[in-house]
Amino acid sequence: MKKIKVGVIGVGYLGNFHAQKYAAMDHVELVGVFDTSIDRAQEIAAACHTRAFADYHELIERAQAVSIVTPTTFHHGVGMECLAAGLDVMMEKPVTVTLDEADQLIELASRQGCILQVGHLERFNPGIMALEHYIDHPLYIESQRIHQFNPRGNDVDVVLDLMIHDIDIILSIVKSPLKAIRPLGSSIVTSSTDVATAQLIFENGCVATVSASRIAQSNVRQLVIHQKKSTLIVDYGKKDITVIERSGAMTAEGYPEEEATHLPFPDQGDALKAELLHFIDAVQTRQQPKVSGVEGRQALALALQLIDEMKEHQVTHNL
Ligand code: NAD
């Protein structure tokens, strides 16, 4: 079978990993990388035994698919050029800065018959994938993504930086339109929101509470899904998956009759490798990917709406 010719545009922190994963795939040829820092492109190209391009148009001519891992402000411009050239695109998250930009990418991808996948990596988190089988009708979801401060990523609000991952997961789990949102957030150490919480109320009655922080002292990443007959808990940090099943009856002491099972956290949990293999599979089979441009846009739309409404409640601190 012919190898799929892939390029990576933007090889900073995350793009480096995209390049490494592609370079290690037997059925992929990493034809080259491009970065506005030629030194960085050469460093990554040398490590991945590929070519560094000084002009990304030359890379586009040689590739049939690309990962775009530039800062988000460049996703739209670079993406439009790649799609116009007929390339399949793996776009890092968030898909774009604005909804208009996302719409243009989705429309062009559809017109060109190109694959457009968005890098919502957590969908490929082995903990989440292990739970898929147990999710039927979520009633209440609690998600926490609490991180220590990291100077990278602070060009955007914590909602676009971190919370968007949980927004995407929750939208993919709760198959119902949203009825109301109640977001709150504060800017503490940067000029944009650093801690945020939101209640998402769905038309089917499900409620999700989502919390994100990038100024915590330690990291917590947990997702809890309550259903009538079960509660599902993924603790990504402790690598623990717990399924609590309820019979519906009460014990003689008045507790709900339930049984907890700890599932093994899948070892081979390389979410990025799984995500990029899924993209390559979509390129080969021409099937819609699990996280399409449309789903990337949905997560962006809700994130932007939360940010907008948060502003209404924010107090300017002149301390
Ligand atoms: P980064 O700053 O480390 O890397 C960006 C790289 O792009 C830099 O090397 C820079 O020189 C290069 N660059 C800038 N403009 C360019 C252009 N026009 N063309 C080509 N290269 C250009 O940033 P990062 O942390 O790697 O983030 C990159 C993207 O990945 C962002 O969209 C970010 O939101 C996303 N991201 C996603 C996740 C995830 O979990 N899915 C995690 C981190 C970052």
Side-chain angles (χ1 to χ4, degrees):
M1 193 192 284
K2 266 189 156 179
K3 290 190 177 194
I4 306 284
K5 292 177 187 289
V6 179
V8 179
I9 299 180
V11 281
Y13 168 75
L14 192 59
N16 171 25
F17 293 115
H18 278 241
Q20 283 181 27
K21 302 293 170 198
Y22 287 132
M25 290 178 195
D26 289 339
H27 56 319
V28 168
E29 180 189 348
L30 178 65
V31 290
V33 298
F34 171 80
D35 196 289
T36 41
S37 158
I38 186 68
D39 289 347
R40 178 69 181 172
Q42 280 169 347
E43 179 195 336
I44 304 305
C48 295
H49 308 289
T50 188
R51 199 175 148 187
F53 286 88
D55 177 347
Y56 74 86
H57 296 101
E58 284 183 41
L59 174 56
I60 289 177
E61 276 169 24
R62 287 167 177 79
Q64 66 188 101
V66 278
S67 269
I68 299 177
V69 202
T70 64
T72 309
T73 39
F74 300 104
H75 286 185
H76 173 254
V78 177
M80 290 298 279
E81 282 208 50
C82 292
L83 291 169
L87 269 61
D88 294 318
V89 169
M90 165 71 221
M91 181 69 83
E92 256 314 324
K93 71 92 214 152
V95 57
T96 48
V97 176
T98 70
L99 294 180
D100 271 357
E101 290 175 346
D103 287 337
Q104 287 175 27
L105 287 179
I106 292 165
E107 194 277 323
L108 185 56
S110 155
R111 189 149 39 90
Q112 292 279 78
C114 293
I115 301 290
L116 174 60
Q117 181 173 328
V118 182
H120 285 289
L121 186 61
E122 291 292 317
R123 289 267 208 116
F124 296 87
N125 182 307
I128 297 286
M129 291 173 83
L131 278 191
E132 273 171 8
H133 165 71
Y134 294 91
I135 299 172
D136 50 23
H137 188 64
L139 294 173
Y140 199 96
I141 301 175
E142 301 163 84
S143 90
Q144 275 186 299
R145 191 171 294 263
I146 310 295
H147 280 207
Q148 288 172 300
F149 190 76
N150 181 342
R152 269 186 332 99
N154 294 327
D155 51 329
V156 291
D157 189 286
V158 73
V159 176
L160 282 177
D161 184 18
L162 299 180
M163 193 186 272
I164 195 164
H165 285 295
D166 300 301
I167 291 174
D168 172 65
I169 288 174
I170 291 166
L171 291 179
S172 75
I173 290 175
V174 185
K175 312 251 183 265
S176 167
L178 265 168
K179 191 163 137 191
I181 57 170
R182 296 194 189 126
L184 290 170
S186 286
S187 139
I188 308 289
V189 300
T190 73
S191 55
S192 57
T193 304
D194 298 307
V195 275
T197 180
Q199 288 180 333
L200 312 177
I201 300 142
F202 292 87
E203 280 180 10
N204 68 357
C206 180
V207 173
T209 62
V210 200
S211 303
S213 167
R214 59 183 177 197
I215 54 162
Q217 294 304 303
S218 55
N219 294 349
V220 178
R221 284 166 65 203
Q222 187 170 270
L223 179 72
V224 181
I225 303 170
H226 298 284
Q227 309 183 114
K228 198 76 191 154
K229 290 283 179 73
S230 62
T231 291
L232 316 171
I233 305 167
V234 192
D235 189 321
Y236 310 91
K238 292 187 186 145
K239 296 214 174 301
D240 186 55
I241 305 169
T242 310
V243 175
I244 300 167
E245 284 173 297
R246 277 182 290 278
S247 67
M250 303 301 270
T251 64
E253 295 79 23
Y255 294 97
E257 202 174 76
E258 54 190 28
E259 193 177 351
T261 312
H262 291 273
L263 301 181
F265 203 95
D267 288 339
Q268 65 286 32
D270 185 340
L272 183 60
K273 181 178 167 192
E275 180 186 62
L276 298 181
L277 281 171
H278 182 81
F279 172 61
I280 295 300
D281 189 56
V283 169
Q284 282 176 318
T285 61
R286 311 313 297 165
Q287 298 288 314
Q288 270 299 310
K290 190 164 164 176
V291 191
S292 65
V294 171
E295 289 182 73
R297 185 207 188 271
Q298 274 168 4
L300 177 68
L302 180 50
L304 293 177
Q305 199 185 345
L306 293 174
I307 291 169
D308 242 27
E309 294 201 17
M310 236 171 244
K311 282 188 193 140
E312 285 175 26
H313 304 288
Q314 253 162 9
V315 185
T316 310
H317 304 289
N318 293 317
L319 302 176

